[in-house]
Amino acid sequence: MADGRLCAKLGLTMKLIYRDQTWELKGKITVRDALKKVGLRPEAVLAVRDGKLITEDVLAGQDDVIRLIAVVSGG
Amino acid sequence: MKCTKCGQPAVINMRQHRLGLCADHFVEWVPQQVQRAIEKYDMFTPEDRVLIAVSGGKDSLSLWDILLRLGYSVEGIYINLGIPHDSYSDVSQQKVEAFAAAHDTPFRVVNVKREYGESIPEVARRKRGRSPCSTCGLVKRHILNEVTLREGFGVLATGHNLDDEAAVLFQNSLHWATGYLARQAPVLPASHAGLARKVKPLIRLYEREMAAYALVRGIDYIYEECPFSRGATTLFYKELLDQLEAESPGAKQQYYLEFLRARADGRLLPADAGKPVLNQCQKCGQPTTAPGTCSFCRLWDVEEAAHEDSNGDS
Ligand code: SF4
Ligand SMILES: [Zn+2]
Ligand SMILES: [Zn+2]
């Protein structure tokens, strides 16, 4: 989780929220790269921004809040 | 990524189909896949009354939603297992109730503790050496089979998706458990008096697609896993297959669907493989592999439990 608090200096950060963890990432990167950065398998989660499901090629950054939903759950 | 059909932003990229879809086209596409499976494997028709086993999870609630949208005659059944951790069973039941209320559709609840005197964790504790999951599986199978037949449903549907089935297939082929391999199927016919017909309409869909469907349709499902599923080997197998899928899109689907094809063609196992000789339980009348009373009835047999205990380890 060293990447977790990379920096919030410029205020241009993306927030990733997964279960009880939150990461802040700087710059504009794809959802896929963001997931890799924080050590999550892109296949294992779905990404939701502003209540809408987005694909992993979407460029995110600049105050985007991305909620991650585990694919495997429930019985 | 853009929707292959309309050019709107896609909500999902299904690399195994080379298909990206927007929300509208995705929630249209999923029921089409289910309908294809229902027809291809002759699961049921609009004339059949279908009982759906619902757990409150994304797969079974989505299946319910899909079958209602496709116009089938369905009813839900929820089995409350009495798992107390974080009120797991009760919260799950609330999700089922909320779905049924929102869709104004019938469902029933069987509460294991109320019906038989003990919850699943309690039975598992009394029956030392029996894991909660094997107890749970046994109890669910028995109750679902019984209710399906007693209430005159033509068929019992469960929410197993392709990932569930591929993980089980992987486990069974690691052990070359030919009996299980012979019986793992999208349709289990009512091959014996006392056996309900069972179908799995979601077998063409990946778990990822089911989670996405529930999200896009706004289905409120139980997100937490059952506390007993932690560290379960099937979760590990799912992850392995997912890694394979990431390297080679479609591998998971091919692995499972080709298995079904090879077996149907007789390339894998002789046609009569896996047909167990069934007896009738002396107590409840349900089919059982061993003569005498079935393992479900023995579960509640306190005398026998005491006997087992005296032979037990501690
Ligand atoms: S994880 Fe085990 S105990 Fe929990 S619902 Fe599944 S089979 Fe039952
Ligand atoms: Zn579209
Ligand atoms: Zn019995």
Side-chain angles (χ1 to χ4, degrees), chain B residues 34-56:
Chain B
V34 175
Q35 180 60 28
R36 268 176 75 178
I38 292 171
E39 285 171 16
K40 180 171 167 65
Y41 300 103
D42 276 325
M43 292 186 176
F44 48 82
T45 69
E47 280 71 54
D48 288 310
R49 282 177 68 224
V50 182
L51 183 66
I52 306 185
V54 283
S55 65

Side-chain angles (χ1 to χ4, degrees), chain A residues 75, chain B residues 81 83 88 120 132-137 140 225-230 232:
Chain B
L81 307 163
I83 295 172
Y88 180 76
I120 295 297
C133 290
S134 85
T135 309
C136 177
K140 283 192 288 201
E225 280 156 41
C226 171
F228 293 116
S229 77
R230 257 164 233 155

Side-chain angles (χ1 to χ4, degrees), chain B residues 142 281 283-286 293-294 296-297:
Chain B
H142 181 97
C281 170
K283 220 168 187 173
C284 70
Q286 282 209 21
T293 41
C294 73
F296 176 83
C297 289

Side-chain angles (χ1 to χ4, degrees), chain A residues 1 5-6 8 12-13 20 22 29 35 37-38 40 44 47 50-51 53 55 57 60 70 73 75:
Chain A
M1 248 185 302
R5 352 192 114 255
L6 259 186
L12 297 176
T13 60
D20 48 11
T22 304
I29 49 171
L35 292 173
K37 255 191 175 161
V38 303
L40 291 172
D50 299 331
L53 206 52
T55 48
D57 59 316
S73 73

